[in-house]
Structures are given as C-alpha cells and as structure tokens.
Amino acid sequence: MRKTTFKLATLLALLSIGVAQAQTKLVEKVTRKGNELLIPYEKYVLPNGLTLVIHEDHSDPIVHVDVTYHVGSAREEIGKSGFAHFFEHMMFQGSDHVADDEHFKIVTESGGTLNGTTNRDRTNYFETLPSNQLERALWLEADRMGFLLDAVTQKKFEIQRATVKNERGQNYDNRPYGLVSEYVAKNLYPYGHPYSWLTIGYVEDLNRVNVNDLKNFFLRWYGPNNAVLTIGGDVNSKQVVSLVEKYFGNIPSGPAVTKTQVPTPVLDKDRYVSYEDNIRFPMLQITFPTVPNFHPDEAPLDALAEILGGGKSSLFYKNFVKKQIAVQANASHPATELAGQFTFTVLPFPDKKLDSIEAAIRQTLVEFEKRGVTDDDIKQFTATREAQLIDGLSSVSGKVSQLASFQTFLGNPNYLPQEFKRYKSVTKADIMRVYNQYIKGKNAVILTVYPKGKADIVAKPDNYTISTADYKAPDYGYAGLTYKKPKDNFDRSAKPGPGPNPTLKVPPYWTDKLANGLKVIGTRNDEVPTVTMLFSIKGGHLLSATDPSKAGIAQLTAALMNEATERFSNEELNAKLEKLGSSIDIRASTEEINVSVESMVKNLDSTLALVEEKLLRPKFAAEDFERLKKQQIELIANQSTQPVVIANKAYSKLLYGPDNIRSIPVSGTTKTVEAITLDDVKTFYQKYLSPSVTNLVVVGDVDQSTAMTKLAFLNKWTPKSVTLPKAAPARKIDKTRIYLVDKEKAAQSEIRIGYLTDIPYDATGEYYRATLANYMLGGAFNSRINMNLREDKGWTYGARSGFGSTKTPGPFTAQAGVKAAATDSSVVEFVKEITNYSKSGITEQELAFVKSSLGQVDALRYETPLQKAFFLGRIIEYDLPRNYVEQQSDILRNITKAQIDAVAKKNLPINNMIITVVGNKELVKPGLERLGYELVELDKEGNPLVTASSTSTAPAKAGSSSDNKGNNRN
C-alpha cells in the first residue's frame, strides 16, 4: 500500500480561509500494491467541511454516489423519536430546483436505482447509475443539501408522516416479533439514552412533531461539514472534484457537530420483561450490554457469538435445535457507534415454558466454560470473516459503503486492512476474557414474547419499571438556526444532461455439457478471488403433482440434503465449510431444487468435495428426518400468524384452484407433511434428482478448462429419465369478486388483485412487452399505482404490480399492505388505475420515460458475481440466443404507444380478476361490502366460509368508497 498524507495543520489552515478564497485540497491518496486487501481512494476536504472520497473502478460502466450524514435516531430526544427516519423520507420530496417526486423519476429515468436508509447513528442517500449520469446525481444530491426547506410544504409533510406510520405498521406492529427490538431498547438503556428507542420511533411522537421541527432538524444536522460524499466506479477523480466543487462548494457550513458521549449501561439486576404477540412460537431473548463498534473487544465478542450460536456447529444449535427443543436458537453481537448488545435468542416449540429455556441457556454457558475455545473455532471464525469482507468488495456500492462508513465513524476510509487484521488476530484467550468480562455472571434484559393468552409461560414475572428520574433533555442547539442558501455563478435550475453513453459490458460466457446431460454455463470474473456456483435441478414442488397428498416433500428433501452425509455429520460438514469460508445451501422452490455454492478460489477444490458429499451422498438419517419434519409442520402452523403469508396462500389457491399443486405452498400443509415418510424422501431423491434436468452456472476467477476439470466429480452422478409435469390450463374467472380473510386486530390489510395469464416467459415476445407495459402501471417507484397509494395518499409503504411467468404462464398481480382504515379506498384506487391504464394506455411522456429508464439500466445488471450468475442462469434455462439483450434493446427502442396500449388492453381484464384482502374483518368488511362486488369470506387456509352478495350490482367507481375522502391522508 502506498499512502500519501498531508499534514493536519495545513488542512486546518485551509479551512480557516474564507470560502471564496479557499481551495479543495487532496488530503491523502491510497493505492494498492499487488493483491492487498484494501480499497484505493483519494480523499479531499472542501472549504465548507464536506469530505469527499473517490474510488476509481473501471470494471463496469457504473457509478455509485453515497452521501452519508452523521445523524441518526441517536440525535433525537424524548418525545421526538422517529424524526431522523421521517426526515429521510422528506429528503425525497423535492427541493428548489427538483420538483416533487422528481428525484426518483430522474434517477430511474437515467437507468439508475436509489434509496436512503437511517439507523441509530447515520443517514445515507445513494444512487447507482450508468457512469455517464454522474453529474445528474451530484446535482440532485447537492440540491437537497443546499435548497431543501422552501420546497417543504405541510401537504408533503402530512403524506410522508402517514407513509412512515404505515411503514411502522407493516414492519413492526403487524409483524410477528416486530416489537422485540423496541422492548429490549427501552429496557436495556436508561430513559433518554439515545438508543432507548428505535429508529422508526413511536406513532404518538410522529403525531406530535410539526414542520418547524423538521426544518430545524435539517438546519442543525444536514450541513456539508457533517457529511461524507463518497463516489465510486467508472469515474475520473479530477473530473469528480471539479463537479463536486461546482455543485457542493458554495453550500454554507452548518453548526459544528461533536461526538456523542454516553456511559455504558449498568444493570443492577436481571430485568425480566414480557409482552403478548400474535405468534405460535414463544421467544426468549437475553441481552447483555457490551461495547461500541471498533472497540478492541468487539472482534472477540463477535467470535464468542459465532461459537455459541452462529451456525450448525455451534453449542446453541446442538443443545436446542438438534435436540428438538426449539425451532431456532442463535447468538449475535450487533455493535453500533455508542454501544453493543450481546444477544441470545431461542424460539422453543409451543409446549415449552420459558423458565426451562432460560435454565438451558445458562447450562449451555456452563458447558462452554468447560469446553473452552478450540483452534478450530478460531479457524472457522477468521475464515468466515475473511469471506464476508471480500464479499463486500464485489460491487462498487459495497466498496463505497465501506469507505463512507469508515470515514464517518473513524475519520479514516482506509480502515479495511486494520478491520481484517483485528479479526484475524483474535485469540482463544481474548474470547474467554470477554466472556468473563461481559457475559458470565452479568445482568441482562430477559425478554419473553408469549402467544395470546399464555402469559403463564414467561421465564419470570416482570420485575423492572422504567424510571424517568434524573432525565435531562439534551440541548442540541436548535435555537436561532437560520437558513442560508448557496450563492452560485451558474444556473442551478438547469438539469445536467448525460455524458456520452458508456459501453455496456454484457458478460462473455462459455457453455459445456457433461456426458450425463448436466448443462454448464460460465464466465470468468477476476474482480474478487471467489467462485459462485448455482445448480438448478428442475421439478421441485411441481413434482408433487403426481401425489399431492405428500406436498412439501421437495422442501423436506432439500432440508435433509443440508444435513448429514454418508461420511460426515452435519456438524462436521459445517465446521469444514466455515474453516474454508465457504457456503453450500440447498433449497426447494416451486419449480426447482437449487444448490448455491460460494467459495474462495484458493479453497474451491475442498469446497467442491463437500458439494459432492451433499449432492451425491446424503445420509437421510432417521433422526434428522424426524427433527426436520417436526420443524416443517410447526413452521406451517406458524404461517397462520403472518398476514403476508396468509394473503399469498389464499391468493394462490384462488388463482390456480384447489386441485392444482401450485395452490399448495412449497412447504405443504400439516396434513400432507405428516403423511411423508423417510422412504418417500429417499424415493423422491432417487427418482427426480438427476443431472439430465440440471443446469449449473459458474462465475468466478476460473476459466472454462479449469472449471470443467474441477467439476469432473459430477460425472459420477447417474442420470435418470425425469418427466416434468405439464402446466394445467389457466383457470377462468367469470367476474371480479372480493375474497376476505379475517386477521383479528390487524393494523394493516394485505391486498392482492390479479388473475392467471396465458402468456409464458418470453425474453423477446409478448411477455417481455407486457413487462414494458406494466412498468409505468406498477413496475417503477414512480409508477401510477405507487405514486397514488404511497406518495399521494400515504396509505401504504409501497404498492406495485407485475407479471410473473416462467416456462408456464403465471399471474398478473397488483399488491400492497395498506393501513386498515383505507382498505376499501385502496381497492378502489387499485381498480381505478388498472382500469384507466387498460382503457387509455400509456402517455407519450411515460413511454419516453420507460425507454430512457430501461434502455440504460443494463449497465447495472451484470456487476456482481451473483448478478452475472442470475443472468447466465436465465440464458441456459430458457435457451436464449447470445444477442437476446440486443434484441430486447431493439424492441424497447422501437415500441410505440399503440403497441403498449394494445398489450395493456389485452392483459389487464379488470372485470375478471381476483381481489384478495387479509385484514381486520370487523373494521374493513363494511367498506368492502359497499364497493359493489360479491364478497366471499375465507378461512386462513383460503377455503370459503360464507358467501354474501352485496346489494349493489355494479362495482363502485373511484371515490365512492366510504373512506375515500379527498382529505383522507392519515
């Protein structure tokens, strides 16, 4: 590594010069020598305090722009929780020179993707675009940094407040175990501690804040001196500096920001707390306070968590999952800027009381003390961390994110070598020391989450009450803040045009075939020293069509293939994989059994030896079968607590009909899984898993000859004649009906609207054209459906639609999770948008957007090994021509409004669709009945309960719903 650093005194002198006179100066430049594990970059500081980090990577024609502000929910205060995250939403609502909702539209139109995230300690905004769109991204980010507040209106404020509340409903209140982190936070940390509430905040606090609170938050924390701008990809550093100076250089600095200092929480006793949830499996979670991230003890604590509960070779897996005491058991150690939390989590089977689980956890710790830390533990941990760090280097966005994080929290973008070193240096003595210092005999928050009506199973009665004594609200310096806009010598209202179109790099690939029929496709990728392999074994759940009474057998077979083999126990296999830093994962889906493999190049031979074991020599042990069968049955029962799963199950049964195997989940039903025997699994494996119906994708730093030599073991796999089931004809829908499933007291309703199409996947045919037509209806963020329900109404966190065919025709589905009070109104708006699009089609402006957006997005599609693997997997699955991407580009470039309109009209039969709603029947049924559709009630398995025709004979028009008032924004 070569590192050039300029003295701090020189930098401080520069910052003391007036903005008009000072110049942006290079602070340091880091380059790579050989194969060093580091990210090359240049670091600059502008006179206004903005830190700029640039990483050049010319491997793909893309650029990733990240603006990280050193402010998160930890800068909030009691009574104003959730504000940092709320503000993140507001940053997408336009600024002086960017109209409302234009930020998403401009980036998407440019072929890019974008988002923002908020956590306890920072908020970041990022875009990935074709590299010729760099200036446009910088213009957008600079405009909201320097010109936001005059564009903030009360209307925008109210809509985004409603959206955030819906996000809380969807991801916390309406999700099993969704409030676990909230209960731990408020009971682990003292009242008023920056971590004593979650980033999402409390609804009552969101209701309390006003526009002026938002504006002060912006003025206090969103200055350039509290931000890091990191740019990586196919860029020229000199040009980047010039553009950043142009767009960011005149933005005034904000108030100074100092690091928050808080003491480590001290618990004087074990704090037992509990709450009731709509769940099947109770949960016991024990959380100890530990150290912040980058603390010297973080790495050994991470290692301790991995040994105790990080995988199938861990003590928690052995003592809880393997012994069929729990469906899940693990340990983790998340650490953030101000504190860390060491957590044990166990989800026991429903017949267990939590006091016995707590005792078993403590006994497991005693066992660990006696066992100690082994050399293999260290090897497994360090190899796994090495693989994780290298995986983070496989994309420009991953590298930019690491640089931005290191600079934000450490002031040193070049921390990756030290990060690697500190994990590589963990010793057995370190791990035992931190165990004794932070876990053994220490007090913790012990949380029980119990199913409804089962408070008697808690570990111990609640014994802790949060004290508000001695709390003093922090003074963050909001008084007297003023808004000063930049003064420019150029026209900032002029949206920058794109640079010259980059040359797209569709991965070149090779194909091959083994004598047993296994097809192979691959590409050389030397950007990171890894190999990704994806096996796709055709059939999957669909093979149960021959005997639906044993549906779920594909999933059970795949699960058993992840267990012991003829020569190794599951624990031995996982220990070997972890010491290699490799992974092998086998899963069943509707149409396939998939085997995914990740390996370092240097360990590929050893990893493939384990693939051979799992793929060709599974043991199918009776004890593994009984345990996994029990787990699968319990997980099926657990699905009745999850609104999204309930909605998908009911919708599928309505789409395909009860006699179609696709109407049964891949996991099967309780009845069908109970009927499966171990001999059934062995027969399924012997009969259906064959190289003759298998495709293999290879992406990594190996050429064709080397790869095929290493894959020679697959010739041992004996081929069989496998006949794949034919698709059943599409089920006809005579008229649109509403199907309602009751989810008692649900804060949100899940909506699915659609039908089963008659068009299979075709990369250059009608299916492709249908996806183009859907893009503006519900495929893009700024589609009609999402803009209506989320951005205009604030009823949902997100709404979308799409076509989902494979080789057999699939459904068209429009869907969203919406706030319960707006359920009927949301159905009306869905129907309105689909109807209008079917009748009137796309506008010329929308068509231009589709062509611009999808015409440039290919630049982003082939960057990472996994992206390349999926791309190649589609080629081999559908036998696509080598130039199919060019064919799609020609279709997109030449398609007309009339052609799009014809596709929409044909494929959006709104009067012959299924409307499925899962929600609180007591609240939503009256409004749904007034919409004029026949309404049929279903149970949670999608079976009819009661059919009641509504009094009206015609569907309600938009606006006729009782809840569809023009001012209904909450």
Side-chain angles (χ1 to χ4, degrees):
M1 176 188 73
R2 182 180 178 187
K3 178 175 178 179
T4 306
T5 304
F6 297 86
K7 291 184 177 180
L8 180 62
T10 304
L11 175 60
L12 293 176
L14 287 168
L15 294 178
S16 67
I17 303 173
V19 172
Q21 298 175 331
Q23 298 293 318
T24 300
K25 293 292 183 180
L26 175 66
V27 177
E28 64 181 9
K29 181 174 182 177
V30 172
T31 56
R32 179 190 289 117
K33 287 186 176 180
N35 294 321
E36 288 179 297
L37 186 66
L38 62 81
I39 307 170
Y41 66 89
E42 295 178 14
K43 174 181 171 180
Y44 300 81
V45 175
L46 276 65
N48 59 8
L50 177 68
T51 300
L52 169 64
V53 180
I54 305 169
H55 163 66
E56 289 195 36
D57 177 352
H58 302 288
S59 58
D60 293 282
I62 62 175
V63 61
H64 186 79
V65 176
D66 177 291
V67 183
T68 297
Y69 295 88
H70 197 170
V71 57
S73 58
R75 297 288 190 177
E76 297 164 354
E77 54 193 284
I78 292 292
K80 294 183 179 179
S81 67
F83 207 73
H85 173 248
F86 183 11
F87 189 80
E88 176 215 312
H89 280 248
M90 293 303 302
M91 284 281 278
F92 289 95
Q93 299 310 303
S95 47
D96 278 6
H97 309 105
V98 182
D100 186 17
D101 300 322
E102 282 289 301
H103 198 113
F104 271 98
K105 181 179 180 181
I106 290 170
V107 173
T108 309
E109 186 177 38
S110 302
T113 62
L114 72 161
N115 213 329
T117 67
T118 309
N119 63 27
R120 289 168 160 176
D121 307 307
R122 64 99 186 102
T123 306
N124 69 339
Y125 305 87
F126 49 89
E127 298 90 6
T128 307
L129 305 105
S131 53
N132 63 318
Q133 302 286 354
L134 170 63
E135 185 172 3
R136 187 168 291 181
L138 297 178
W139 171 73
L140 286 167
E141 289 294 351
D143 210 64
R144 59 182 174 186
M145 180 187 284
F147 298 89
L148 181 80
L149 292 191
D150 286 348
V152 173
T153 65
Q154 187 68 35
K155 179 181 178 182
K156 293 180 185 178
F157 180 87
E158 295 297 344
I159 290 173
Q160 291 309 309
R161 170 155 49 191
T163 300
V164 172
K165 288 158 69 174
N166 279 310
E167 182 178 352
R168 180 183 167 97
Q170 179 174 317
N171 293 337
Y172 297 86
D173 301 326
N174 209 40
R175 177 173 290 180
Y177 315 104
L179 300 179
V180 165
S181 297
E182 188 167 275
Y183 270 81
V184 170
K186 67 185 180 182
N187 288 288
L188 180 65
Y189 298 102
Y191 183 80
H193 186 285
Y195 286 177
S196 62
W197 54 83
L198 295 192
T199 302
I200 194 67
Y202 296 104
V203 170
E204 55 268 30
D205 289 352
L206 292 169
N207 287 335
R208 186 180 297 118
V209 298
N210 58 49
V211 172
N212 288 331
D213 292 322
L214 179 142
K215 291 183 177 181
N216 276 329
F217 193 87
F218 172 82
L219 293 172
R220 179 64 187 89
W221 304 111
Y222 272 71
N225 52 304
N226 196 36
V228 176
L229 170 60
T230 311
I231 299 166
D234 189 19
V235 299
N236 175 275
S237 293
K238 184 176 180 180
Q239 180 194 28
V240 170
V241 172
S242 176
L243 290 172
V244 170
E245 287 178 327
K246 174 181 177 179
Y247 289 109
F248 291 86
N250 290 333
I251 299 175
S253 296
V257 177
T258 58
K259 183 177 175 63
T260 300
Q261 301 287 342
V262 292
T264 300
V266 177
L267 281 58
D268 59 351
K269 62 180 180 181
D270 283 329
R271 298 176 179 176
Y272 288 87
V273 294
S274 64
Y275 78 91
E276 183 180 81
D277 200 355
N278 183 21
I279 54 176
R280 177 171 178 80
F281 305 113
M283 172 188 282
L284 185 71
Q285 190 169 93
I286 303 178
T287 304
F288 300 85
T290 62
V291 298
N293 55 5
F294 306 116
H295 185 284
D297 288 345
E298 182 190 12
L301 282 164
D302 287 349
L304 175 64
E306 190 69 24
I307 295 166
L308 289 172
K312 290 185 176 180
S313 58
S314 69
L315 292 174
F316 266 62
Y317 184 85
K318 175 180 75 72
N319 289 350
F320 290 96
V321 179
K322 193 80 171 178
K323 292 181 179 178
Q324 300 190 44
I325 294 172
V327 69
Q328 178 182 324
N330 57 57
S332 61
H333 181 241
T336 44
E337 186 176 19
L338 304 179
Q341 298 173 193
F342 197 102
T343 300
F344 300 115
T345 303
V346 178
L347 272 67
F349 288 108
D351 57 339
K352 304 294 181 183
K353 285 198 170 186
L354 278 302
D355 56 352
S356 65
I357 299 301
E358 181 186 353
I361 290 174
R362 297 191 185 281
Q363 183 57 42
T364 299
L365 297 182
V366 172
E367 179 184 350
F368 168 71
E369 292 177 36
K370 294 177 180 178
R371 168 192 181 275
V373 182
T374 68
D375 291 336
D376 278 353
D377 289 335
I378 298 295
K379 291 177 183 176
Q380 290 168 224
F381 174 69
T382 55
T384 299
R385 283 305 163 112
E386 178 187 14
Q388 290 172 346
L389 288 171
I390 290 175
D391 184 62
L393 306 179
S394 64
S395 68
V396 170
S397 62
K399 290 182 281 188
V400 165
S401 296
Q402 288 195 351
L403 291 169
S405 178
F406 291 148
Q407 174 58 38
T408 299
F409 297 117
L410 298 169
N412 175 21
N414 191 38
Y415 190 75
L416 184 61
Q418 190 173 338
E419 180 84 339
F420 181 72
K421 181 180 178 181
R422 70 179 180 130
Y423 281 100
K424 197 83 170 174
S425 303
V426 171
T427 66
K428 292 187 282 187
D430 289 333
I431 296 170
M432 293 308 301
R433 175 181 56 79
V434 297
Y435 169 77
N436 289 310
Q437 184 172 345
Y438 300 102
I439 308 300
K440 183 179 180 180
K442 302 302 185 289
N443 297 316
V445 171
I446 303 173
L447 171 67
T448 298
V449 188
Y450 57 88
K452 288 184 176 181
K454 295 187 176 180
D456 59 316
I457 71 166
V458 299
K460 285 184 181 178
D462 293 9
N463 71 345
Y464 178 69
T465 302
I466 298 169
S467 173
T468 62
D470 302 323
Y471 171 70
K472 183 179 179 182
D475 181 4
Y476 283 129
Y478 288 113
L481 295 173
T482 58
Y483 182 33
K484 297 178 181 178
K485 293 185 182 182
K487 294 181 179 179
D488 298 313
N489 56 6
F490 66 97
D491 182 6
R492 205 178 272 264
S493 66
K495 179 173 68 175
N501 286 337
T503 302
L504 295 184
K505 298 180 181 179
V506 177
Y509 62 88
W510 51 266
T511 59
D512 217 320
K513 189 175 182 179
L514 300 182
N516 56 14
L518 191 147
K519 297 176 183 177
V520 188
I521 187 170
T523 187
R524 179 78 178 265
N525 178 52
D526 60 1
E527 294 176 32
V528 286
T530 64
V531 177
T532 297
M533 293 186 177
L534 300 180
F535 291 81
S536 298
I537 307 169
K538 306 306 169 192
H541 176 59
L542 291 185
L543 294 168
S544 296
T546 58
D547 187 4
S549 68
K550 295 185 178 181
I553 192 171
Q555 179 166 308
L556 191 51
T557 302
L560 276 162
M561 291 175 68
N562 280 314
E563 297 290 323
T565 66
E566 293 173 357
R567 297 197 298 178
F568 299 106
S569 70
N570 193 25
E571 290 78 11
E572 290 172 327
L573 287 166
N574 281 279
K576 289 176 180 292
L577 284 169
E578 288 176 5
K579 280 189 280 188
L580 297 170
S582 302
S583 66
I584 304 170
D585 185 47
I586 305 174
R587 295 176 184 267
S589 63
T590 302
E591 300 183 2
E592 299 172 338
I593 288 179
N594 304 103
V595 183
S596 59
V597 182
E598 298 284 348
S599 174
M600 304 285 286
V601 174
K602 64 183 180 181
N603 296 328
L604 183 56
D605 289 338
S606 299
T607 302
L608 290 178
L610 299 179
V611 172
E612 179 179 352
E613 284 293 316
K614 286 179 171 284
L615 187 61
L616 303 186
R617 286 187 285 273
K619 186 176 183 179
F620 296 128
E623 59 271 23
D624 289 338
F625 171 76
E626 293 300 330
R627 171 171 48 83
L628 292 173
K629 179 176 174 178
K630 179 181 178 181
Q631 286 183 3
Q632 192 160 322
I633 291 171
E634 289 290 345
L635 290 170
I636 290 167
N638 185 53
Q639 292 172 351
S640 64
T641 67
Q642 303 171 42
V644 171
V645 178
I646 296 170
N648 291 339
K649 285 172 63 176
Y651 181 62
S652 291
K653 184 170 285 190
L654 292 165
L655 278 177
Y656 294 103
D659 297 330
N660 190 316
I661 192 62
R662 290 178 183 269
S663 71
I664 304 175
V666 175
S667 58
T669 67
T670 300
K671 183 178 179 180
T672 63
V673 176
E674 284 177 341
I676 299 171
T677 68
L678 181 55
D679 284 340
D680 292 330
V681 170
K682 292 178 179 178
T683 300
F684 185 91
Y685 169 82
Q686 291 293 341
K687 185 176 181 180
Y688 293 123
L689 274 76
S690 170
S692 60
V693 289
T694 299
N695 296 332
L696 171 59
V697 179
V698 181
V699 177
D701 195 9
V702 290
D703 58 27
Q704 179 179 1
S705 175
T706 303
M708 294 307 295
T709 300
K710 292 179 182 296
L711 293 171
F713 73 93
L714 291 171
N715 286 303
K716 302 174 187 176
W717 193 3
T718 305
K720 305 124 188 175
S721 177
V722 179
T723 301
L724 299 178
K726 293 182 179 180
R731 195 173 185 222
K732 300 300 181 184
I733 302 169
D734 60 337
K735 66 175 181 178
T736 297
R737 294 177 178 85
I738 294 177
Y739 297 86
L740 175 62
V741 182
D742 183 26
K743 185 70 171 67
E744 185 183 359
K745 296 182 180 179
Q748 284 198 314
S749 298
E750 287 291 333
I751 297 173
R752 306 287 184 272
I753 301 175
Y755 77 105
L756 191 58
T757 73
D758 59 2
I759 48 174
Y761 173 85
D762 186 334
T764 56
E766 184 176 359
Y767 181 82
Y768 176 65
R769 289 169 172 81
T771 63
L772 298 181
N774 177 72
Y775 196 62
M776 286 312 304
L777 175 63
F781 179 89
N782 56 306
S783 66
R784 294 186 185 185
I785 287 174
N786 194 59
M787 295 304 292
N788 184 339
L789 272 71
R790 172 179 162 139
E791 296 300 295
D792 295 343
K793 303 292 195 307
W795 292 342
T796 180
Y797 182 49
R800 63 187 185 276
S801 67
F803 292 87
S805 294
T806 56
K807 286 185 176 180
T808 58
F812 164 82
T813 305
Q815 65 187 87
V818 303
K819 71 172 188 173
T823 302
D824 54 334
S825 303
S826 298
V827 170
V828 168
E829 295 303 316
F830 265 120
V831 171
K832 181 188 77 174
E833 295 296 353
I834 296 170
T835 301
N836 290 344
Y837 201 71
S838 176
K839 288 182 177 180
S840 303
I842 198 168
T843 67
E844 291 290 354
Q845 184 180 17
E846 287 174 331
L847 180 57
F849 174 87
V850 172
K851 291 186 176 186
S852 177
S853 176
L854 298 182
Q856 299 180 79
V857 76
D858 278 346
L860 279 61
R861 285 183 173 164
Y862 321 117
E863 182 193 9
T864 69
L866 200 57
Q867 285 177 311
K868 289 181 171 71
F870 286 145
F871 170 73
L872 297 182
R874 186 171 294 274
I875 290 174
I876 197 170
E877 167 67 12
Y878 295 103
D879 194 23
L880 301 178
R882 286 185 177 267
N883 68 337
Y884 94 91
V885 173
E886 289 83 356
Q887 291 182 34
Q888 287 186 336
S889 297
D890 289 340
I891 293 169
L892 176 64
R893 187 164 47 249
N894 296 313
I895 200 165
T896 64
K897 170 178 163 49
Q899 290 172 323
I900 290 281
D901 292 352
V903 171
K905 185 177 184 66
K906 177 182 176 183
N907 293 295
L908 296 174
I910 192 59
N911 294 323
N912 302 95
M913 290 192 182
I914 293 162
I915 301 174
T916 307
V917 177
V918 176
N920 182 353
K921 181 176 77 171
E922 182 180 356
L923 178 64
V924 307
K925 183 180 177 181
L928 293 173
E929 286 179 320
R930 287 191 286 271
L931 298 186
Y933 299 100
E934 179 183 345
L935 189 146
V936 180
E937 292 186 42
L938 307 175
D939 64 17
K940 289 183 173 62
E941 298 303 315
N943 302 310
L945 286 177
V946 179
T947 301
S949 297
S950 63
T951 56
S952 174
T953 58
K957 296 179 180 179
S960 65
S961 165
S962 59
D963 193 38
N964 190 34
K965 306 294 191 297
N967 61 354
N968 185 2
R969 305 288 189 186
N970 296 320

